[in-house]
Amino acid sequence: MPRKVVQGPIRDKEKTKQKLLNAVGKILKTKGYSGLMVSKIAAVAGFDKKLIYEYFGSTDKLIDEYIKSQDYWSKFELGEDVDLSDGGREMSKLAILNQFENLKKNKELQKILVWEMSESRPILKKLLDQREEVGEELFKNITDPYFGEKAEEYRAITAILVAGIYHLNLYTGHNGVTFCGIEMKTEEGRKKIEKALVDIIDFAYNKK
């Protein structure tokens, strides 16, 4: 017989925290980062703003937790079944292609990236540092040993791929339809970009 889940202080607290986090996402989608004020977040969540300080310590910490929950690289984990005997070739393809698709769907993350590029704030610097830490672990432990003296060349290629993914998705999500003549809002157009991403990774590994 399934165990009955009952209401209680812990369960209610977690539900309230999740509603506050969801409120941050709703405001980002509709008002952008300029709308992330404590009174607005509390109003959208339907709670007294005192709960933000009680459960998160500050508005910045609430926003920080929300941002980390959305960021692709901050959540990136290698599955136990990932074969790394190829020096990270297939892992690189999987990570890059998944990021390309994830960013297309995640409108909140698109807003966060625009925010990162337009403002200098400790909360955003912290996210960038965490993202770099994840990337550094992948480079240092997987691709750097494979590429050896050419490790930084592959890092540079990865930087261009990730930056391209950011730009194409932000461009398409806000104003653009075509880029270099490719229809970015069609499945066919995105497949062409995906193929190019894979081809570039294969080129780097074959060149090595």
Side-chain angles (χ1 to χ4, degrees):
M1 181 177 179
R3 182 181 176 185
K4 185 177 180 182
V5 179
V6 296
Q7 293 293 104
I10 295 176
R11 180 169 171 79
D12 289 344
K13 177 180 178 179
E14 290 307 310
K15 286 173 68 176
T16 300
K17 287 179 68 176
Q18 191 56 54
K19 285 183 178 179
L20 287 166
L21 289 165
N22 291 343
V24 173
K26 289 177 183 176
I27 293 169
L28 267 176
K29 284 178 73 173
T30 57
K31 303 293 184 182
Y33 42 85
S34 61
L36 292 175
M37 297 174 289
V38 62
S39 56
K40 184 66 176 179
I41 296 170
V44 171
F47 297 120
D48 191 298
K49 63 183 180 182
K50 289 187 297 184
L51 289 179
I52 292 176
Y53 301 106
E54 182 178 340
Y55 291 159
F56 295 94
S58 68
T59 311
D60 275 355
K61 288 181 180 178
L62 165 61
I63 297 171
D64 181 43
E65 187 165 330
Y66 176 80
I67 288 175
K68 284 192 293 185
S69 75
Q70 298 299 311
D71 186 61
Y72 177 77
W73 290 108
S74 295
K75 298 186 297 178
F76 183 80
E77 291 183 358
L78 285 175
E80 294 182 0
D81 58 343
V82 176
D83 182 8
L84 299 176
S85 61
D86 60 0
R89 182 195 291 239
E90 293 306 315
M91 177 212 70
S92 296
K93 292 178 186 177
L94 181 66
I96 289 292
L97 291 176
N98 283 348
Q99 186 188 26
F100 185 55
E101 185 62 21
N102 174 268
L103 187 52
K104 171 196 171 186
K105 297 175 180 177
N106 195 330
K107 302 302 181 185
E108 293 93 334
L109 182 53
Q110 290 181 20
K111 296 282 188 180
I112 291 168
L113 290 172
V114 172
W115 190 11
E116 287 177 1
M117 290 184 280
S118 58
E119 281 193 34
S120 177
R121 294 185 57 153
I123 191 172
L124 298 173
K125 179 64 167 60
K126 182 179 178 181
L127 175 64
L128 293 172
D129 290 342
Q130 291 169 339
R131 198 181 288 154
E132 280 296 304
E133 287 173 10
V134 173
E136 185 60 28
E137 286 299 306
L138 295 174
F139 286 128
K140 184 173 63 177
N141 296 313
I142 301 171
T143 60
D144 284 0
Y146 180 83
F147 282 95
E149 293 180 355
K150 295 185 177 180
E152 288 197 357
E153 290 182 18
Y154 186 68
R155 287 182 178 229
I157 288 171
T158 303
I160 291 170
L161 293 180
V162 172
I165 285 171
Y166 287 170
H167 183 77
L168 286 173
N169 276 297
L170 293 175
Y171 175 86
T172 307
H174 291 82
N175 294 307
V177 175
T178 63
F179 196 93
C180 291
I182 297 174
E183 297 286 338
M184 290 301 304
K185 290 196 173 182
T186 67
E187 187 67 21
E188 181 183 4
R190 291 188 69 84
K191 288 294 181 186
K192 290 177 181 176
I193 299 298
E194 290 174 0
K195 183 180 183 304
L197 292 169
V198 168
D199 287 347
I200 292 169
I201 292 171
D202 278 334
F203 171 80
Y205 274 83
N206 293 336
K207 181 172 175 285
K208 186 264 181 186

